[in-house]
Amino acid sequence: MIVSAAAANIDMVQAGMAAAAVLVMGGWVNANKAHEYVQWDLLLLIGSMLGMSHALISSGLAAMFAQGVQSMGLGGTGLFFLIYAICSMMTNVLTNNAAAGLMFPLALTIAQTLNVSYKPFMFVVMAGSSASFLTPIGYQTNMMVWGPGGYKFTDFTKFGAPLQAIHMVVCCLLVGLVWPIDEPFDWRTTSL
């Protein structure tokens, strides 16, 4: 699916539906049980975050946030550190999906306000939202090992803080090398 979407000019939705059809017709997925494989709570969360994202943009809050960040005078790397820090704080108390859903419109609006490439901002949102190392409540696997492993809440912070810091520094310093920030903002004509 990913290869076909990347190699040919096929929409991801079309490629996903084709892959699902191949799995069902090939007998790898039971068509009668296919609906059981869907994580409906995750889809509901993502749909809710899309609504929140739209509210952030349409209310003007995202633009106010972007103007405030612009007035701070941070360079590209400073912006990456700021966005990563906000994402990682959110993902350690919410979920990674909620953090990404809330930070996506803010990061996109910052890139648009500064007229710079959105790509490094999206990577920072993805990396920061996926880095739940500080608390046991931010991610499912953390919660799964918390009780049975005999860990205390502070154990996650004690061992997760250095890991979180290393991850933040590496991501924020390298993202500008992979996706230069100085491209003008044009997400409609630029391929991801």
Side-chain angles (χ1 to χ4, degrees):
M1 173 186 85
I2 295 172
V3 173
S4 66
N9 195 9
I10 299 173
D11 184 26
M12 281 296 284
V13 173
Q14 293 171 338
M17 295 301 280
V22 167
L23 290 173
V24 169
M25 289 188 293
W28 295 291
V29 174
N30 184 341
N32 295 328
K33 293 186 177 183
H35 70 280
E36 295 175 13
Y37 302 126
V38 177
Q39 294 180 339
W40 296 107
D41 57 339
L42 179 61
L43 288 178
L44 181 62
L45 177 68
I46 292 171
S48 300
M49 289 302 104
L50 291 174
M52 288 292 293
S53 297
H54 180 70
L56 286 171
I57 292 171
S58 63
S59 70
L61 185 61
M64 285 176 37
F65 181 78
Q67 290 168 352
V69 168
Q70 184 179 21
S71 68
M72 291 166 42
L74 298 173
T77 305
L79 289 171
F80 300 153
F81 275 97
L82 176 67
I83 291 171
Y84 182 102
I86 294 170
C87 283
S88 66
M89 283 188 289
M90 289 173 61
T91 199
N92 278 294
V93 295
L94 299 172
T95 66
N96 57 344
N97 299 313
L102 289 172
M103 283 304 296
F104 174 80
L106 297 176
L108 192 63
T109 305
I110 289 170
Q112 188 175 18
T113 301
L114 299 174
N115 195 27
V116 294
S117 175
Y118 67 93
K119 293 175 187 177
F121 290 94
M122 296 303 101
F123 179 81
V124 171
V125 167
M126 178 200 67
S129 297
S130 299
S132 178
F133 307 128
L134 295 175
T135 67
I137 60 173
Y139 199 69
Q140 300 93 328
T141 51
N142 295 6
M143 292 185 76
M144 287 169 43
V145 300
W146 183 16
Y151 297 113
K152 295 181 285 189
F153 194 95
T154 56
D155 290 337
F156 285 86
T157 305
K158 182 175 20 174
F159 294 105
L163 186 57
Q164 188 90 43
I166 291 168
H167 188 258
M168 179 165 83
V169 168
V170 169
C171 287
C172 292
L173 292 179
L174 292 180
V175 70
L177 299 175
V178 178
W179 293 284
I181 194 171
D182 55 357
E183 296 176 7
F185 180 86
D186 190 7
W187 66 274
R188 294 178 199 268
T189 59
T190 306
S191 66
L192 294 173

